[in-house]
């Protein structure tokens, strides 16, 4: 026995299927149906716990990635959501945090160090080693030229006022402590945190 479906019936069945699956995705479905949809999307993903880097709150995020290990070792991040086990945010994210996937996939995202030489109007790609060497050299030269040991009254001040440091807001306490110690031990006076800028 052959089931015969007319063109009109086929379109009705297709519309009904699309409507029910759309309603399930919008939350108008029993919990098992929603769980199965979510499970299907995230099957086989590598999950990485991280922190959102937009502000100093440090909300927890779960980053889902999938890649073909046989072809390349580059995982493709395809979903980001709040971490319900994180003590700060308990799984909720602000609009910026909810848009992290767009930030990661943005074509304008900087992926490697670049430098614009004096008198040039073009940015040139350099290696990480060269970037670190240049930063260290500029810092050393500036500190040697501008380090102040005593003020006009003869008091010992040991400060360096021509260079400043802006620290990351989503650092751990340990990282922030080490950053602060390094900046202060160099004599830097201008030192602030990204969260207040």
């Amino acid at each position: 026995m052959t089931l015969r479906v007319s063109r009109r019936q086929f379109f009705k069945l297709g519309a009904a299927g699309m409507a029910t699956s759309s309603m399930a995705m919008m939350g108008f479905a029993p919990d098992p149906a929603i769980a199965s949809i979510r499970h299907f999307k995230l099957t086989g993903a590598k999950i990485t716990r991280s922190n959102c880097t937009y502000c100093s709150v440090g909300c927890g995020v779960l980053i889902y990635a999938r890649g073909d290990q046989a072809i390349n070792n580059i995982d493709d991040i395809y979903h980001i959501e709040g971490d319900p086990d994180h003590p700060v945010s308990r799984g909720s994210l602000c609009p910026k945090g909810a848009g992290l996937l767009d930030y990661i996939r943005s074509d304008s995202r900087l992926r490697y160090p670049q430098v614009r030489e004096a008198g040039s109007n073009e940015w040139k790609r350099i290696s990480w080693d060269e970037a670190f060497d240049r930063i260290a050299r500029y810092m050393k030269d500036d500190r040697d030229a501008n380090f102040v040991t005593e003020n006009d009254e003869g008091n010992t001040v040991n400060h360096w006022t021509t260079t400043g440091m802006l620290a990351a807001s989503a650092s751990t306490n340990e990282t922030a402590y080490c950053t602060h110690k390094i900046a202060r031990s160099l004599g830097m006076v201008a030192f602030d945190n990204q969260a207040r800028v």
Side-chain angles (χ1 to χ4, degrees), residues 66-86:
R66 176 185 307 141
D68 188 353
Q69 300 297 328
I71 298 172
N72 59 26
N73 288 330
I74 299 171
D75 288 332
D76 180 34
I77 297 172
Y78 69 97
H79 181 72
I80 297 178
E81 64 185 32
D83 184 357
D85 295 329
H86 198 273

Side-chain angles (χ1 to χ4, degrees), residues 44-60:
K46 181 173 101 178
I47 304 170
T48 305
R49 291 183 189 280
S50 187
N51 284 354
C52 178
T53 57
Y54 270 113
C55 73
S56 61
V57 174
C59 296

Side-chain angles (χ1 to χ4, degrees), residues 135-136 139 143 147 158-160 163-167 173-191:
I135 292 167
M139 287 178 69
R143 187 173 186 271
F147 190 77
N158 290 334
H159 62 227
W160 176 25
T163 295
M165 180 170 226
L166 183 65
N173 286 342
E174 294 77 14
T175 304
Y177 177 79
C178 290
T179 304
H180 193 272
K181 287 300 230 180
I182 290 168
R184 294 299 184 213
S185 67
L186 289 170
M188 285 186 191
V189 177
F191 180 66

Side-chain angles (χ1 to χ4, degrees), residues 110-117 123-139:
L110 201 60
R111 301 185 194 302
Y112 40 78
Q114 294 181 343
V115 65
R116 190 177 71 171
E117 302 292 354
W123 290 91
K124 169 179 85 168
R125 181 177 177 173
I126 59 174
S127 69
W128 284 103
D129 289 335
E130 185 181 352
F132 289 134
D133 289 343
R134 288 173 70 112
I135 292 167
R137 173 52 45 206
Y138 286 137
M139 287 178 69

